[in-house]
Amino acid sequence: MIGIFFWLFAALLTVSGLLAITRRNAVSAALWAAVSFIAIAGIFVLLQAYFLAVVEVLVYAGAIMVLFLFVIMLLNLREEDLQVLEGPRLHILGVLLAAGFLGGLVWTCRRAGLYDAKNGAIKMTAESVGETKSLAAPLFMEYVLPFEIASFLLLAAIVGAVLITKKRLT
Amino acid sequence: MKLLWTVVEVSVVATVVLPTTAALLVWAERRVSAFMQDRLGPNRVGPAGLLQPIADLLKFMFKEDVVPGHVNKVMYVLAPALSLVPALVAFAVVPYARGMAIADLNVGILLVFAVSSMAVYGVTIGGWASNSKYSLLGGVRASAQMISYELALGLSVVPVLLVVGDLNMQAIVQWQADHVWLVVPLFPVWVIFLVSSYAETNRLPFDCPEAETELVAGYHTEYSSMKFALFFLAEYIHMITASALSVALFFGGWSLPGVTFPDGSMGTLLSGLVFAGKTGAFLFLFIWVRWTLPRFRYDQLMDLGWKRLLPASLVLILATAGGVALLGGTN
């Protein structure tokens, strides 16, 4: 039963992800990206990581993509405007970035001992990610310093964004 | 058996309870607003006009379903459904009676926020796909407004979670049944929650996305017939969910102070009636506010959300966390 749902969500994720990067229309691309986030949330649910599933929908599909959509609609992008960005250079850069990201992910999983070499898959620790508490404990105790550094970076980015949009500081 | 019961529960709630309540709410809104303006309101169809919603529904169904030539057809047709589905799904975790909820999830309250954060898509896409100035402005306003107030709304729930120590809706209600209604210690938090939920449901005084004096009808200007009715229904179901959440999080849910419900199905039924009664009171408040307060200007709306409610809710989280730490906490 769970197997069927996994393949359903995985197929949805792959298809919507591909559509998100190939659609010419910026609004459709954003919407397909939102669908892919929901598919990811579905896979999290199958792993019994309910908290992650809900946060995935809440933050990515519910907030970040809506902001994207808001900006796209405000700018009213047309296809001609996007032609500037075409060309092989951008494609090569994109593939390199994606490969780099995937490599980093695999490396981190191996280092953290999550990689099961025998089956060639990530070890599942379902019971450890389902509960809010078991997620919060390492985040706010063991890894509190990286966590705070990340939030500090975000804060700096917000201040920077406000500063850029303010034409003149009085 | 469990699965069968869930299927029955879902179909009854999604196709009977919520739409009927929404229809009655439309009737109540028209009657109450009429009384507030010294009119009578709809009173011809059925006793006291109670069958008016049925007449309205028939009218919606038999009106010509116009799809204007200049719209993005796929998105235009999709938008009303995108608007209604999250409204229905969000109700799933509401603990509507003792021990009863369609989905009794450990992350219940977060699910409500996750699902209702999807509601903005229907409105935004509807506004964009209509390909008209007024609709687009309405859609853009809706997305900015709902994102802004989601923050204050989400943060205003954190103190509740700090006090109760659980994300499960039933646990939150049970805690209030055992101790005290959370509105008593967390009154300012509830005020922020209420104001934000009015903004989230696009209701007056925050109905900028469909401000008829500026935007004709905002995001649903180009919609007619049943598609318009779906937007309409979604808005009213959002109101029901928002009221039910206010009851469950701050006003003790199905519990009454000093009252112990008898065991068995009788007690469950009575607790359900208590919950319905409290939710009804909040729905009346929605109507009352709408016909009392004028609309905010858009910059005032943003000002209130970002410069007042957001900092205020952060301070309240800090204060509540301090209080919980001082008093020893719940877990």
Side-chain angles (χ1 to χ4, degrees):
Chain A
M1 191 70 175
I2 284 180
I4 299 170
F5 278 107
F6 172 78
W7 289 111
L8 264 177
F9 283 125
L12 183 65
L13 176 58
T14 320
V15 171
S16 56
L18 281 174
L19 284 170
I21 55 169
T22 49
R23 289 306 87 190
R24 294 242 145 229
N25 187 320
V27 172
S28 334
L31 285 180
W32 281 115
V35 173
S36 76
F37 292 138
I38 293 169
I40 293 174
I43 290 176
F44 277 142
V45 168
L46 294 181
L47 295 173
Q48 297 182 326
Y50 302 118
F51 182 76
L52 285 181
V54 167
V55 168
E56 175 83 27
V57 175
L58 182 63
V59 176
Y60 286 96
I64 292 181
M65 270 342 273
V66 176
L67 268 183
F68 272 43
L69 210 59
F70 176 72
V71 174
I72 293 169
M73 279 166 50
L74 263 191
L75 295 178
N76 202 7
L77 282 177
R78 288 177 204 291
E79 273 183 30
E80 305 89 71
D81 304 333
L82 294 171
Q83 308 257 314
V84 195
L85 299 174
E86 272 185 33
R89 265 197 303 177
L90 212 62
H91 286 174
I92 292 167
L93 187 69
V95 169
L96 282 180
L97 273 176
F101 182 72
L102 188 68
L105 205 63
V106 170
W107 184 74
T108 317
C109 285
R110 269 176 184 278
R111 230 177 80 102
L114 286 172
Y115 189 73
D116 186 358
K118 201 163 69 184
N119 297 320
I122 303 283
K123 270 187 220 157
M124 282 332 315
T125 47
E127 66 281 356
S128 64
V129 286
E131 282 280 321
T132 321
K133 266 178 204 157
S134 54
L135 202 72
L139 199 59
F140 290 109
M141 291 158 115
E142 198 179 339
Y143 297 106
V144 70
L145 192 66
F147 178 77
E148 287 301 326
I149 290 173
S151 55
F152 198 76
L153 277 176
L154 282 175
L155 184 67
I158 295 171
V159 174
V162 171
L163 205 68
I164 291 169
T165 43
K166 280 249 179 207
K167 292 249 164 58
R168 197 160 51 95
L169 286 172
T170 44
Chain B
M1 197 57 213
K2 183 95 184 359
L3 186 70
L4 187 71
W5 167 242
T6 310
V7 170
V8 170
E9 211 179 6
V10 168
S11 21
V12 168
V13 170
T15 61
V16 180
V17 177
L18 287 176
T20 312
T21 317
L24 283 176
L25 197 56
V26 176
W27 169 81
E29 172 133 52
R30 291 176 68 184
R31 288 290 278 183
V32 171
S33 67
F35 289 136
M36 284 179 183
Q37 298 166 347
D38 206 10
R39 295 182 286 119
L40 280 175
N43 63 351
R44 295 287 128 180
V45 194
L50 257 175
L51 297 180
Q52 183 70 36
I54 298 178
D56 286 345
L57 179 71
L58 286 174
K59 188 180 132 186
F60 274 130
M61 288 210 279
F62 288 108
K63 278 245 168 158
E64 189 188 351
D65 187 13
V66 184
V67 179
H70 54 78
V71 300
N72 181 329
K73 283 224 172 47
V74 180
M75 304 276 191
Y76 178 86
V77 174
L78 201 62
L82 279 182
S83 171
L84 182 62
V85 169
L88 290 172
V89 175
F91 199 81
V93 291
V94 170
Y96 59 82
R98 187 185 59 193
M100 303 291 275
I102 296 175
D104 190 14
L105 294 176
N106 282 333
V107 288
I109 182 66
L110 281 178
L111 184 95
V112 177
F113 287 114
V115 172
S116 40
S117 71
M118 304 303 293
V120 64
Y121 278 102
V123 174
T124 315
I125 294 302
W128 175 78
S130 294
N131 203 7
S132 111
K133 290 187 204 72
Y134 299 120
S135 300
L136 183 69
L137 279 172
V140 168
R141 277 186 180 190
S143 57
Q145 171 176 338
M146 285 165 104
I147 283 189
S148 307
Y149 277 84
E150 222 168 73
L151 289 170
L153 190 72
L155 289 177
S156 70
V157 174
V158 174
V160 173
L161 307 179
L162 282 173
V163 172
V164 178
D166 207 320
L167 293 171
N168 185 307
M169 296 285 279
Q170 285 290 359
I172 293 170
V173 174
Q174 192 58 51
W175 190 93
Q176 294 180 85
D178 294 342
H179 298 80
V180 62
W181 289 6
L182 279 166
V183 69
V184 178
L186 300 175
F187 182 76
V189 179
W190 172 68
V191 172
I192 294 179
F193 179 87
L194 190 77
V195 173
S196 312
S197 65
Y198 277 47
E200 278 290 295
T201 46
N202 293 331
R203 285 284 293 190
L204 265 158
F206 307 112
D207 71 335
C208 300
E210 45 186 302
E212 59 276 269
T213 41
E214 310 154 34
L215 298 179
V216 188
Y219 61 90
H220 54 54
T221 305
E222 306 286 333
Y223 282 89
S224 57
S225 173
M226 228 23 222
K227 291 199 187 70
F228 168 76
L230 287 185
F231 275 128
F232 207 60
L233 194 62
E235 184 184 321
Y236 278 87
I237 291 177
H238 274 303
M239 276 166 64
I240 298 170
T241 308
S243 304
L245 279 181
S246 216
V247 169
L249 293 176
F250 293 96
F251 283 81
W254 41 261
S255 70
L256 276 179
V259 178
T260 318
F261 295 110
D263 287 332
S265 50
M266 196 59 203
T268 310
L269 186 69
L270 284 175
S271 66
L273 287 177
V274 168
F275 188 81
K278 287 183 189 176
T279 309
F282 272 97
L283 288 171
F284 179 76
L285 188 67
F286 261 104
I287 297 173
W288 189 6
V289 166
R290 170 166 179 187
W291 298 98
T292 308
L293 295 178
R295 183 183 305 122
F296 272 52
R297 229 170 44 218
Y298 202 69
D299 60 314
Q300 292 170 330
L301 172 94
M302 285 296 157
D303 197 70
L304 181 71
W306 288 99
K307 293 187 191 159
R308 283 152 225 263
L309 292 186
L310 186 62
S313 51
L314 285 172
V315 169
L316 284 170
I317 289 176
L318 210 60
T320 316
V324 170
L326 277 180
L327 295 173
T330 45
N331 37 358

